[in-house]
Amino acid sequence: MLRLLIGVAAGYVLGTKAGRARYEQITRTTKAIVESPATKKAIEVGRQKLSDSLSPQPKLEPLKPIDENTQLYVPRDRL
């Protein structure tokens, strides 16, 4: 999101220096990128990965210990 804001700000500065037509072109390109399905999918995947990494639940669950030094773990979705 920060990169997008930096890109928009850079587009604004460059657009005002290059004139209104260039500014409009940069604005349309930025809008097309932001609204594209590929961008939305990338953001969705990134959010899901972040959510998974911040999840308070462990991804592995312990099973019955084999002995005092060995513990088996199994993925949560296989329980």
Side-chain angles (χ1 to χ4, degrees), residues 57-64 71-79:
Q57 295 182 350
K59 294 182 186 219
L60 298 175
E61 291 288 328
L63 293 176
K64 182 178 174 185
Q71 178 76 39
L72 290 179
Y73 291 89
V74 65
R76 249 179 187 270
D77 59 351
R78 294 195 181 172
L79 287 176

Side-chain angles (χ1 to χ4, degrees), residues 1-50:
M1 187 58 123
L2 182 59
R3 290 181 188 174
L4 176 64
L5 293 175
I6 291 171
V8 169
Y12 177 78
V13 170
L14 293 173
T16 55
K17 288 184 180 180
R20 184 70 181 178
R22 179 73 176 140
Y23 171 75
E24 292 295 330
Q25 180 186 15
I26 291 170
T27 302
R28 283 191 309 270
T29 303
T30 303
K31 192 173 190 176
I33 290 171
V34 169
E35 293 176 355
S36 85
T39 304
K40 290 180 180 182
K41 183 66 176 174
I43 290 171
E44 180 183 330
V45 168
R47 286 181 177 167
Q48 186 61 46
K49 285 184 179 182
L50 180 62

